[in-house]
Amino acid sequence: MAEITLIEPQKKDSKRCNVYVDGIFYCGIKLEVAIKYHLKCGMQIDKCKLDEIQLETEKSQALDKAMTHLSATMKTRKQMTDFLAKKGYTEAVINYVLERLEYYNFIDDEAYCRAYVASVTGKGKRAIEADLFKRGINSKIIEQALGEFEEDGDAAFAVLEKYLRGKEKTKENLYKGFKYLLSKGYGYDTAKYALERLGGSDEDY
């Protein structure tokens, strides 16, 4: 059994409260729910019971919040999980919401990957891969999305040209430009193509 050590009103929503178990924040619930289930400091309770209470009383609200969060842009499964966790929802509620969203295809990591790869500009393959990995996408899904991706030499050239705008095309600046392209995730061959198109040579990198 665990002990409820603190119940305090939320700063941004006076109708909700934060519940701390054994000195650590555990979840957020409505004040009326806390009153209904007689939750109070010093109370011994099974964490699973708190999960059941929140799932029963807040799953619909959590789903509404998730849908609102999705209204602006697509989200990955991890991004939505992190969002709901920050809102104070337990794993049980988060799993319920994710199950609903995936059932209706509101969350689809494969579709997210395809859309991201198709829309991103000014970045090479390695940078895109790193971005998707940070968003919690499975490596196999990323690999599939990038399977037919080819780096755009013209785009790399445009990035390099912009970077060197106003600078003399010295060997040092061309080398810096080459490294800049690599830092943007472009592969060696693509960066080499862009540099040579700008008048550089293999002596500049």
Side-chain angles (χ1 to χ4, degrees):
M1 297 290 284
E3 179 182 339
I4 296 178
T5 50
L6 178 65
I7 298 178
E8 62 176 8
Q10 292 185 356
K11 294 180 180 179
K12 294 184 178 180
D13 189 345
S14 60
K15 294 182 179 180
R16 293 176 60 78
C17 61
N18 294 325
V19 178
Y20 290 76
V21 175
D22 294 335
I24 300 174
F25 171 75
Y26 189 74
C27 68
I29 57 174
K30 296 176 183 177
L31 282 172
E32 62 184 70
V33 173
I35 295 172
K36 175 182 177 181
Y37 287 92
H38 308 291
L39 302 181
K40 58 184 179 180
C41 292
M43 178 180 180
Q44 297 294 312
I45 191 168
D46 190 331
K47 290 182 180 180
C48 291
K49 179 61 177 178
L50 280 175
D51 291 351
E52 291 175 5
I53 291 172
Q54 195 190 61
L55 180 62
E56 176 188 347
T57 61
E58 303 206 6
K59 61 184 181 182
S60 294
Q61 183 186 56
L63 184 57
D64 287 342
K65 286 182 180 293
M67 291 297 297
T68 300
H69 190 50
L70 278 169
S71 63
T73 59
M74 294 176 67
K75 300 294 187 298
T76 66
R77 180 183 176 88
K78 182 180 184 302
Q79 287 174 327
M80 183 56 70
T81 298
D82 292 345
F83 169 77
L84 292 171
K86 287 180 180 179
K87 292 294 183 182
Y89 292 110
T90 61
E91 184 177 350
V93 174
I94 292 173
N95 288 338
Y96 168 82
V97 172
L98 291 175
E99 181 183 338
R100 293 289 86 199
L101 294 177
E102 289 179 333
Y103 179 80
Y104 291 107
N105 295 319
F106 287 118
I107 282 185
D108 184 334
D109 282 358
E110 291 184 15
Y112 182 97
C113 270
R114 291 193 297 269
Y116 185 84
V117 171
S119 64
V120 71
T121 58
K123 291 185 178 181
K125 187 173 184 178
R126 288 186 295 106
I128 295 173
E129 183 178 10
D131 286 345
L132 291 172
F133 187 76
K134 288 178 182 177
R135 289 164 169 77
I137 305 293
N138 181 282
S139 58
K140 290 184 178 180
I141 295 177
I142 295 174
E143 185 178 348
Q144 290 175 354
L146 292 172
E148 298 181 1
F149 176 81
E150 293 185 7
E151 289 186 333
D152 188 343
D154 292 337
F157 172 73
V159 171
L160 179 61
E161 190 176 38
K162 182 178 180 180
Y163 175 79
L164 292 173
R165 191 171 299 159
K167 301 183 179 72
E168 292 185 25
K169 294 183 177 62
T170 63
K171 183 175 181 179
E172 181 182 1
N173 284 336
L174 288 171
Y175 178 63
K176 288 181 178 179
F178 180 77
K179 289 202 301 182
Y180 179 72
L181 285 178
L182 296 180
S183 74
K184 299 293 286 184
Y186 286 104
Y188 178 87
D189 290 339
T190 305
K192 176 183 175 182
Y193 163 82
L195 187 66
E196 291 178 344
R197 183 174 166 183
L198 200 63
S201 66
D202 55 7
E203 296 180 355
D204 298 317
Y205 49 88

